[in-house]
Amino acid sequence: MDIKTSCLGVLSICDASGYEIRKAFEDGPFSHFAEGGFGSIYPALNKMEADGLVTCTTQAQDKRPAKKVYSITTKGRLALMDALAKDPADDKYKSDFLFSMFFADFQSARRIERLIDDRISQFEKEISHLGDPDNECMGVPKMTEGADFVRRFGLHMHQAAVEFLKEEKFRAVSAALKGESLVNQSSEAAE
Amino acid sequence: MDIKTSCLGVLSICDASGYEIRKAFEDGPFSHFAEGGFGSIYPALNKMEADGLVTCTTQAQDKRPAKKVYSITTKGRLALMDALAKDPADDKYKSDFLFSMFFADFQSARRIERLIDDRISQFEKEISHLGDPDNECMGVPKMTEGADFVRRFGLHMHQAAVEFLKEEKFRAVSAALKGESLVNQSSEAAE
DNA sequence: AAGATATATTTCATTTCGATATATTAAAAC
DNA sequence: GTTTTAATATATCGAAATGAAATATATCTT
């Protein structure tokens, strides 16, 4: 899904500024499967305004910088539905953590332990975030069936990850420890 | 992890051409957490050759186009270790499937069912791939402890995904069906 | 014999990322 | 009470990555 469609998705729920769209990708209901930085969002909104998919109103705010609030148009909703009708691209999971763990044999047991502990706490943070009933859909309290499905999917996956890491931590650290002692033996033998 | 480090990771296991590195991202031991297309791999290899991280030998082949085989240098191994020593960036999961499912309320029950079924069969395909004992590490049969850890992690996560989807399919399709009948009722009432 | 599939690299426009600059105000620390 | 930090808000731009097509050769399938 390109950044434009992702923005339309957010705007289909409620009007928002670029900054608020960013927050929806960061903390909101899309946080565990979509993303986009300012550098992609603002140009996408400009392009879509020119194409008539969204409209923009500058709102002066009391005690806050002015913001440009975008609304989705009928043409924009049609574009979103068109994108939804296409077969979705394959999911992709990118993980520096797994890349590091792949080379566990070249790293210290201490390092491996920290890597796993950090990842567990990050997953647990996301679990409490997804499980939080106050975590409303951008101020829209009524969650649709679809929104709840993806929320529970994320919850389930993060829980599975924590489960695996807690179960496998001892084995991974032990193996790293064993590797270290082999290194020590060979360096002692070299002396 | 940038594309250069990912390539170094592959080359640290064995020498390879750009094409073979691509295959390692597509089907190999990195397939479920790293990626990279030709458009990124070839420029990365050129850059790294210029920087002395890899060396290149053109190998004429019988009955195949010639290939450029890259080998990692000591400097390259150090660069890989440096990258491994840094704190890994957050994992990211990008899913058009979940994006579509978020808007399940606007889609037909048939569509929702197909979306879920397709995703299940994709996950199952990856499960059999990761579980396959013949799926060697680019022809290197001996799997390290780290490589096996990430393999089992991938297996566990994919299994968790299938589990969720099979369990929740009925509920999701039923909800979509209910939505359809509401639409039918309102259009009947309008007549 | 034709067409599809696999090996192999290059190129390039479009898209996205990531970091920085700019400005304002609220909250927190000292 | 004042400085610093965090949050709100947008714009910009070079660097990096993506994705698709172009090019070439050889094998396998029908």
Side-chain angles (χ1 to χ4, degrees), chain B residues 66-140:
Chain B
K67 64 178 173 180
K68 291 183 179 178
V69 177
Y70 290 87
S71 308
I72 191 168
T73 62
T74 304
K75 197 176 167 188
R77 277 187 202 276
L78 287 174
L80 176 59
M81 292 305 142
D82 273 0
L84 253 28
K86 282 180 192 139
D87 279 351
D90 285 355
D91 290 9
K92 46 189 174 182
Y93 182 57
K94 200 172 182 190
S95 175
D96 282 9
F97 164 69
L98 289 183
F99 186 87
S100 274
M101 287 302 297
F102 190 93
F103 297 102
D105 304 62
F106 304 118
Q107 296 183 72
S108 73
R110 280 253 308 276
R111 169 76 177 158
I112 294 304
E113 187 171 18
R114 203 169 84 79
L115 239 28
I116 294 177
D117 285 340
D118 284 356
R119 196 54 54 176
I120 288 174
S121 56
Q122 278 174 41
F123 278 125
E124 280 178 341
K125 204 175 129 197
E126 285 184 84
I127 286 170
S128 66
H129 189 245
L130 285 170
D132 182 4
D134 290 342
N135 177 27
E136 288 166 0
C137 207
M138 298 157 66
V140 182

Side-chain angles (χ1 to χ4, degrees), chain A residues 5 8 53 73-86:
Chain A
T5 309
L8 288 177
L53 304 180
T73 63
T74 304
K75 196 176 169 188
R77 276 186 203 278
L78 287 174
L80 175 60
M81 291 306 142
D82 272 0
L84 252 28
K86 281 180 192 140

Side-chain angles (χ1 to χ4, degrees), chain B residues 155-176:
Chain B
L155 208 52
H156 186 84
M157 294 303 282
H158 291 335
Q159 279 161 351
V162 168
E163 189 189 301
F164 180 89
L165 293 180
K166 284 189 171 168
E167 215 161 85
E168 296 288 328
K169 183 184 157 182
F170 179 75
R171 177 176 166 172
V173 174
S174 297

Side-chain angles (χ1 to χ4, degrees), chain A residues 64-168:
Chain A
R64 283 267 175 274
K67 64 178 173 179
K68 290 184 179 176
V69 176
Y70 291 88
S71 308
I72 192 167
T73 63
T74 304
K75 196 176 169 188
R77 276 186 203 278
L78 287 174
L80 175 60
M81 291 306 142
D82 272 0
L84 252 28
K86 281 180 192 140
D87 279 350
D90 285 355
D91 290 10
K92 47 189 174 181
Y93 182 57
K94 201 174 183 191
S95 174
D96 282 11
F97 164 69
L98 289 183
F99 186 88
S100 275
M101 287 302 297
F102 189 94
F103 297 101
D105 304 60
F106 304 118
Q107 296 183 70
S108 72
R110 280 252 309 275
R111 169 76 177 158
I112 296 303
E113 187 171 19
R114 201 169 85 79
L115 239 28
I116 295 177
D117 284 341
D118 284 356
R119 196 54 54 177
I120 288 174
S121 57
Q122 278 173 43
F123 279 125
E124 281 179 339
K125 206 175 128 196
E126 285 184 82
I127 287 169
S128 66
H129 188 246
L130 285 169
D132 183 3
D134 290 343
N135 176 27
E136 287 165 1
C137 208
M138 301 157 65
V140 182
K142 176 112 180 61
M143 222 184 235
T144 62
E145 196 64 41
D148 200 47
F149 178 91
V150 303
R151 195 197 113 253
R152 281 180 292 113
F153 184 90
L155 207 53
H156 187 84
M157 294 302 283
H158 291 336
Q159 278 161 351
V162 168
E163 190 189 299
F164 180 88
L165 294 180
K166 283 190 173 168
E167 216 161 84
E168 296 288 329

Side-chain angles (χ1 to χ4, degrees), chain B residues 18-19 42 61 64-65 67-68:
Chain B
Y19 188 82
Y42 287 112
Q61 289 182 111
R64 284 265 176 276
K67 64 178 173 180
K68 291 183 179 178

